[in-house]
Amino acid sequence: PTTDDTLTFAKTLVAQNPGIVARMVGDGLYSKSLADADTMGKLPDTSTLWDEMIDVTIQIEQEPGLLEDVLRAFGEDASLPLSQSFSAYMENLDHISYDRNNLNGPAFNETTNDGSPPSKPVNRSQPDTASNRSEMQRFLQTIFDTNGVTACNKTGAVVHAQGLPIFGNGDIPAGPANSVALALVLSTHYGSKTTFNACEVFKIPNLAAFYLDSMVGAASMYFRDDFIRNGLGGIGAATVGLIEQSSGLGYDPNNADTYNGPDLSKPGFWDLAASSTFRPKPGWLNRLVFFDIPKDSPNPGDKNYTTNHFLADLQGTQIGTSICPENVIPDPCYQSSTCGDATDISSDHMVHGLRSCPAGDWAFNRDQDATFVWEDLGFYNAITPLVSAFAVAKNPVTGNPRHREDLFIALMGVLHKHWQTAAGAAANANECALAVDSTGKATKTCSQDGADTYEPLLGQIFSSDMLTAVHDFVKVVEGLSIPTCAKADPTTGACTQAGPSTDGITILANATRALVDPAQAKAVKLVDRHMNPTSRRNDGTTNPQVTPIYLVLESLDEIDQAFAAYAQSNPNDTGRQAQWRRARSQLVDQFLGVNGENTKTQSFQDPSLPKILPVLIDTLRQQIAAHCPGPPYGACPWARTQLTQNAATTVGGPTFASTLDLTEAVRTHDGARAELEKLLTYLLDAGSNNDALAEFLATADDMIQVMRDDTNLVPLYHVLATAAAPTTTDATGNMQRGVVDATTALLARIAGRAYLPGSNVELCSSEIDPEGLVDIALANMVTPMKDANGNPTQTPLEVFLDAIGDVNRVSPGTMGPMQGTDLANAANELSEFFLDPQRGLEQYYAIVRNGTVH
C-alpha cells in the first residue's frame, strides 16, 4: 500500500503543482552544483555519521506522529528565519555574550564590540578549536555537554530575596515592614540551620532537555523547599517578580513584566510577575548559567552586583557537563522537615546526574556564552516549531504531550561526535572528549571525522532558496488530498474499494518509514540479492536487519568499490569514475534541468516533462497492479525476484556484454567517442531534420525488445564476428582484408580529401568524389519524397527495396504481402548476389579493386 500511495501522491503533486516540483528539483541541482565546486568538504571513508543519523531517524519515525510533526514544522511560517540563522552559524565565529551595561538587553557581540549578529568568518586554514570554531560547532557541543546533566543549588547555598536573606547569616537590612515577622518565621521554619544543602532549593534533572523546553514554555522550575514554594502564613512565598527582582535577571524596576510573556527575544519568564509558576525563557537561562561571576560586578556597588551576589550564593560556577564523572548523592529532601514533600524525589532517594568536573570542564568554562548567539537572527522563534514537535506536540496514541526531547538531542549529539577535525582535536583534546574518568583523562573521544569541513558549503545552501522551498513544498503537500485503496481485485490488482483520503505529509512519512524502518523490513522478510538479512555499516559492522535505504547505500558503495578496483588495476585509466559521475550529472541536468535555478519561480526547461511524468507514474502503477495483485498488497514475487532475475539474465547475456565491450572501446578512443557524440547529438535532437529523434526512439524500442533474444541473435553474431575479423597476412605475404577493414578503407578512400604537400590547397583531381556526390546521394536516398500536395511519402530507399522485393518474388508482380516462398526466393537471390563471382558482389569488388589500385 505504501508504494501505491506514494506513486499516487507523486502523480497528484506533479499534475497539480509542477511549479513546486520544479523548484525543489532546481534547488537540488543548485545545491549539487555548489557541492561539485566545493573542495573542502570531506568525510573519511569509514565515517559512521550517516549510519548513526539513520539510527536516530529510525527512532523518530517509530515514535507515533513525530515524523509527521517534524515535516509539518518546516511548513510553519515561523521557521523561515532558520535559513539565515543556520547559514550565519555555519560560517562565523563571533563571541556573542550579554551586555555588561544592559544585562537584560539584546545580546552583545564582543568580537565587533556592538550589538550586531555574527559576521566574522571562521579561519578555515587553522584548526577548528577554541575561538576558531563556528557558532554551529559550539552549539552542538553545548547541547551534548548539558545532556543528562542535573543542575542544583550548591552546598552551603543562600537564597536572597529583595535584598533580605531568606536563609543565611547576613544581617536583615531595613526595608519591608514585615522584615521582623519574616525573621521570626524563618527562625521557626529552619531553626538553627544557616545554609541549604545541595539540591535542597531546586533540581533540574536534564539541562539540555530543560533548555529546549524553555523555548516552548514547557520548562518549569520547581522549588523543592516548601517555604520558598508556599511561604508561611502568607509571608515569603516566591513569585516570578520576587525571583526577578532578587536576581536582577529579567528585572525592570519600572515595569515588572517588561521581559515576561511569550516574546522569546526578552529574557524573562513565560508567566507574569505575580505568578507562582516559574517557566523561564531561554534568554533568562542564558544569563543564569553564563553570568560571569568571577569578573562581572563582584563587589558591592558594581552595576550587576545584585545578580552576582544572588548567583554566587545560590549556585556558583560549578554547573557540570556530561563529559565529567557522575556524582550521585543522597537526596537531602528525603524525609526532610523542610522539603520532604518535594514531588521530584527519585524512587531510590538519590540525586542522579550531578557531575564532579576537573578544572576547565565545568559548563561556564567549557561552553562559555555559547548559547547567547541564539538570541540573534530570530533563532528562538524559528526553531520553536521544530522543538515543539519533539517536546509538546501530542502523541496521537496517548493524547499526551510527547516529550521526546531526547531524540532531538540525540541528533545534535551525533553531529557533535563527528563535527571536529583531527587537527582541531590535536590542538585541544578536551574539546574532543566525550567522557572522562575521575582524573580528567578522556575515556571516549569524538570521531575526528571533520564534518565541519562542510560548513562553508552548508552555509551557502542554507542561504539559498532551499529551506524556503522546503517550507513552500510542505505547505503544498499538507493541502493535497490523496486517494487510497482499501481493497483490490485479486486477479488484476485493480482497486475495487476506495480507502480514506489522506494528506501528503502522511504519505511522505509512511514512505520514509518503509525506507528506513527495520521492523517493517523484517515483517516482510526483506533480504539482499544474496539472501542476507543483514546490512553493512560504513565501518564494516553490521545491522541485524537490512532496510531499503541500506540496499541503496550498499549499491552505491559497491559501484565506488568497482571503480576503485578498476583504477588500481588500470593505472593509465584512473579517471573513469570521474567520467561516470560527470555523465550521470549531465543526464540529470539534461532531463531535469530547470529555468531560474535558486529562485521562487523555477520551471522545467522541458515543458513536456510535467505532462509526461504523470503518465509514466500511472504506467508504473498499472504494471505493479498487474503483477502484484491481491489485497492487501502482499509479497510480490515479480518485484522481489523476477525483475532482478530478468535484469541479471539480460546483463549477463552475450548481447549486453558485447555492447558494453564496444562502448568501452569507444570510451577509451577520443576520436571515436567524439564522432559518436556528434551522431547521438543529431539523433537525439528534436530539431534534427528527417524526424531523426522519432526514428531513433522507435529503433531503440525495437532493439530493447530483441536484446534478450540470444537464441536467434547468436548465429547472427557469428556472421558479424567473421565480417569483423581483422586483416591478416599469410606466410607467403598475401593480405586477406577483413570485411570491416576493407569497407572502412573504401569509405575513407571515397570520402578522403587530397592536398598539396605542406599546404591546404586541395587536389580535386586526385579525389574519387571531390563534389561529395556520395554524401548527397545517400542523404537523398533516406529523405522522404513529397506528393503533389507537398506531404512526405516514402523515401527512395524504400521504393528501391520494395522494387527489389517485388522483382524477386516467385511470381514477380504479385500483389499482397510476401509469402514464405517469396521470402525463400528472395533469400536465394541475395545469397547468389553475395557469392556469384561473375554477376555478384565479387565482381563488384574486382571492379573497385582495379579502380582504386592507384
Side-chain angles (χ1 to χ4, degrees):
T2 301
T3 301
D4 190 65
D5 291 348
T6 304
L7 291 173
T8 305
F9 161 76
K11 174 189 173 184
T12 305
L13 180 64
V14 175
Q16 296 183 9
N17 300 276
I20 193 63
V21 177
R23 190 172 168 194
M24 292 297 294
V25 171
D27 285 345
L29 293 175
Y30 177 74
S31 298
K32 182 182 75 68
S33 66
L34 293 177
D36 291 342
D38 180 70
T39 58
M40 294 187 63
K42 176 65 177 176
L43 284 174
D45 292 339
T46 57
S47 172
T48 59
L49 170 61
W50 292 113
D51 294 292
E52 293 174 44
M53 291 293 285
I54 291 173
D55 292 342
V56 180
T57 301
I58 292 170
Q59 296 179 66
I60 291 173
E61 57 86 6
Q62 290 178 340
E63 173 69 22
L66 177 54
L67 184 56
E68 288 85 345
D69 287 339
V70 168
L71 293 173
R72 290 189 181 96
F74 287 101
E76 296 284 342
D77 292 345
S79 69
L80 286 171
L82 283 178
S83 179
Q84 181 186 13
S85 55
F86 274 136
S87 176
Y89 297 167
M90 292 280 186
E91 296 174 347
N92 299 306
L93 51 68
D94 304 61
H95 181 185
I96 309 297
S97 184
Y98 65 92
D99 188 345
R100 267 57 170 175
N101 294 313
N102 185 11
L103 175 62
N104 298 304
F108 188 78
N109 190 329
E110 294 191 354
T111 302
T112 58
N113 200 34
D114 57 25
S116 62
S119 60
K120 183 176 181 180
V122 176
N123 185 348
R124 304 292 174 182
S125 65
Q126 297 298 316
D128 51 332
T129 183
S131 61
N132 193 45
R133 292 178 296 165
S134 69
E135 314 286 359
M136 177 58 69
Q137 188 168 352
R138 282 178 275 172
F139 165 92
L140 296 174
Q141 179 174 295
T142 302
I143 292 293
F144 177 85
D145 282 354
T146 53
N147 183 33
V149 173
T150 294
C152 281
N153 62 280
K154 69 179 184 178
T155 299
V158 175
V159 181
H160 297 279
Q162 297 177 320
L164 295 174
I166 285 182
F167 188 50
N169 293 323
D171 294 332
I172 299 177
N178 64 355
S179 60
V180 175
L182 178 60
L184 292 174
V185 168
L186 294 176
S187 175
T188 301
H189 182 69
Y190 294 111
S192 60
K193 284 185 66 175
T194 58
T195 59
F196 286 104
N197 294 315
C199 300
E200 274 192 302
V201 179
F202 69 89
K203 181 184 72 170
I204 300 174
N206 187 329
L207 278 176
F210 191 84
Y211 192 82
L212 289 177
D213 286 345
S214 75
M215 300 179 193
V216 293
S220 182
M221 290 189 70
Y222 177 72
F223 289 109
R224 311 185 84 201
D225 182 86
D226 53 10
F227 176 76
I228 297 176
R229 186 171 65 253
N230 303 314
L232 189 65
I235 301 175
T239 63
V240 167
L242 179 63
I243 295 298
E244 291 181 328
Q245 182 179 358
S246 302
S247 67
L249 302 179
Y251 177 62
D252 180 355
N254 300 314
N255 183 345
D257 287 317
T258 294
Y259 301 105
N260 298 327
D263 187 348
L264 288 175
S265 67
K266 297 179 178 180
F269 284 76
W270 286 84
D271 309 283
L272 300 183
S275 175
S276 57
T277 300
F278 304 95
R279 296 185 298 153
K281 292 185 289 188
W284 194 88
L285 292 175
N286 292 341
R287 289 155 178 79
L288 177 76
V289 174
F290 292 117
F291 183 88
D292 192 355
I293 293 175
K295 297 180 181 178
D296 185 0
S297 307
N299 303 310
D302 291 344
K303 185 175 183 62
N304 295 321
Y305 175 72
T306 297
T307 302
N308 190 306
H309 188 48
F310 180 88
L311 296 179
D313 282 357
L314 177 65
Q315 66 188 37
T317 59
Q318 293 188 335
I319 296 176
T321 57
S322 60
I323 71 164
C324 302
E326 187 178 22
N327 178 29
V328 181
I329 65 171
D331 194 323
C333 288
Y334 177 59
Q335 297 183 336
S336 167
S337 61
T338 58
C339 62
D341 59 348
T343 60
D344 59 351
I345 300 174
S346 65
S347 59
D348 65 353
H349 313 140
M350 305 295 286
V351 176
H352 299 269
L354 293 173
R355 304 289 165 158
S356 179
C357 296
D361 282 345
W362 298 101
F364 180 80
N365 309 111
R366 183 173 162 85
D367 301 297
Q368 185 175 11
D369 293 340
T371 58
F372 281 101
V373 71
W374 302 340
E375 297 183 19
D376 283 326
L377 303 171
F379 176 76
Y380 285 130
N381 284 320
I383 200 69
T384 292
L386 186 58
V387 173
S388 296
F390 287 89
V392 296
K394 287 186 178 181
N395 181 314
V397 176
T398 65
N400 298 321
R402 182 171 288 119
H403 286 306
R404 291 310 306 268
E405 297 90 340
D406 60 305
L407 295 179
F408 182 92
I409 295 168
L411 283 174
M412 301 302 104
V414 169
L415 293 176
H416 169 64
K417 176 182 175 182
H418 296 275
W419 210 250
Q420 191 171 40
T421 65
N428 190 335
N430 181 261
E431 291 169 354
C432 184
L434 301 180
V436 299
D437 60 20
S438 58
T439 66
K441 181 180 179 181
T443 58
K444 186 177 181 181
T445 60
C446 65
S447 67
Q448 303 180 32
D449 285 350
D452 66 350
T453 58
Y454 285 93
E455 284 183 335
L457 172 62
L458 292 172
Q460 288 180 289
I461 293 175
F462 278 123
S463 64
S464 72
D465 179 62
M466 177 59 76
L467 280 186
T468 306
V470 170
H471 164 272
D472 295 347
F473 175 78
V474 171
K475 286 281 192 184
V476 169
V477 168
E478 281 185 301
L480 293 179
S481 179
I482 311 299
T484 63
C485 182
K487 190 174 182 180
D489 185 280
T491 303
T492 65
C495 185
T496 58
Q497 179 181 332
S501 295
T502 187
D503 63 89
I505 292 293
T506 302
I507 300 294
L508 286 177
N510 288 338
T512 302
R513 291 188 180 96
L515 191 65
V516 305
D517 194 328
Q520 290 192 23
K522 185 175 183 179
V524 298
K525 300 179 180 178
L526 184 65
V527 294
D528 64 20
R529 289 190 61 235
H530 303 291
M531 306 306 292
N532 295 319
T534 61
S535 60
R536 183 172 54 84
R537 296 167 72 90
N538 215 31
D539 61 352
T541 60
T542 59
N543 291 319
Q545 176 59 55
V546 68
T547 56
I549 185 66
Y550 271 99
L551 291 178
V552 174
L553 294 175
E554 287 182 3
S555 298
L556 295 174
D557 185 51
E558 289 176 7
I559 289 174
D560 288 341
Q561 290 179 19
F563 277 116
Y566 176 86
Q568 187 173 7
S569 59
N570 296 271
N572 295 326
D573 189 17
T574 58
R576 189 173 186 181
Q577 185 173 25
Q579 291 177 338
W580 157 260
R581 288 175 173 169
R582 185 166 60 251
R584 185 177 60 188
S585 176
Q586 289 171 343
L587 282 174
V588 173
D589 293 340
Q590 178 66 36
F591 290 104
L592 296 177
V594 300
N595 299 312
E597 274 190 9
N598 194 35
T599 69
K600 294 184 178 181
T601 57
Q602 299 176 70
S603 62
F604 287 110
Q605 291 176 356
D606 183 353
S608 65
L609 189 62
K611 305 292 184 183
I612 294 172
L613 284 178
V615 177
L616 293 177
I617 294 171
D618 255 348
T619 301
L620 179 58
R621 290 181 65 224
Q622 291 165 5
Q623 287 293 308
I624 293 174
H627 289 90
C628 307
Y633 301 99
C636 179
W638 173 75
R640 282 287 190 90
T641 58
Q642 188 176 343
L643 279 178
T644 53
Q645 288 174 355
N646 291 346
T649 301
T650 300
V651 172
T655 302
F656 195 91
S658 300
T659 302
L660 283 185
D661 286 342
L662 175 61
T663 303
E664 174 63 8
V666 172
R667 183 191 71 85
T668 56
H669 192 287
D670 292 340
R673 187 173 66 251
E675 293 303 318
L676 181 60
E677 287 172 354
K678 293 177 183 178
L679 174 62
L680 291 176
T681 300
Y682 172 78
L683 293 176
L684 294 175
D685 189 348
S688 298
N689 55 10
N690 298 330
D691 294 324
L693 177 59
E695 296 296 336
F696 175 78
L697 293 177
T699 304
D701 182 62
D702 292 339
M703 289 295 297
I704 291 172
Q705 295 185 57
V706 303
M707 283 287 282
R708 293 182 60 236
D709 188 14
D710 289 330
T711 301
N712 294 306
L713 289 178
V714 169
L716 177 60
Y717 295 154
H718 290 306
V719 174
L720 294 176
T722 301
T727 299
T728 60
T729 303
D730 61 21
T732 61
N734 295 318
M735 179 182 293
Q736 181 65 43
R737 284 188 178 275
V739 174
V740 173
D741 285 348
T743 303
T744 303
L746 172 61
L747 294 175
R749 185 71 182 87
I750 293 173
R753 294 290 176 261
Y755 297 91
L756 283 174
S759 73
N760 59 356
V761 178
E762 188 173 356
L763 297 176
C764 295
S765 60
S766 299
E767 298 171 354
I768 294 177
D769 186 20
E771 301 298 332
L773 295 178
V774 172
D775 290 347
I776 297 172
L778 291 176
N780 288 335
M781 285 285 286
V782 296
T783 300
M785 299 178 290
K786 295 182 179 180
D787 61 16
N789 297 321
N791 297 317
T793 61
Q794 289 181 305
T795 65
L797 180 60
E798 291 173 302
V799 175
F800 291 157
L801 293 176
D802 286 343
I804 293 172
D806 288 340
V807 168
N808 286 286
R809 283 175 180 262
V810 174
S811 298
T814 304
M815 303 299 292
M818 296 184 73
Q819 303 301 313
T821 53
D822 294 326
L823 293 172
N825 191 69
N828 182 65
E829 294 293 333
L830 182 62
S831 176
E832 290 184 359
F833 172 71
F834 279 120
L835 300 176
D836 193 295
Q838 301 300 323
R839 56 189 183 87
L841 200 58
E842 292 290 337
Q843 184 64 24
Y844 173 73
Y845 288 155
I847 295 171
V848 172
R849 187 183 303 111
N850 291 330
T852 59
V853 67
H854 299 296

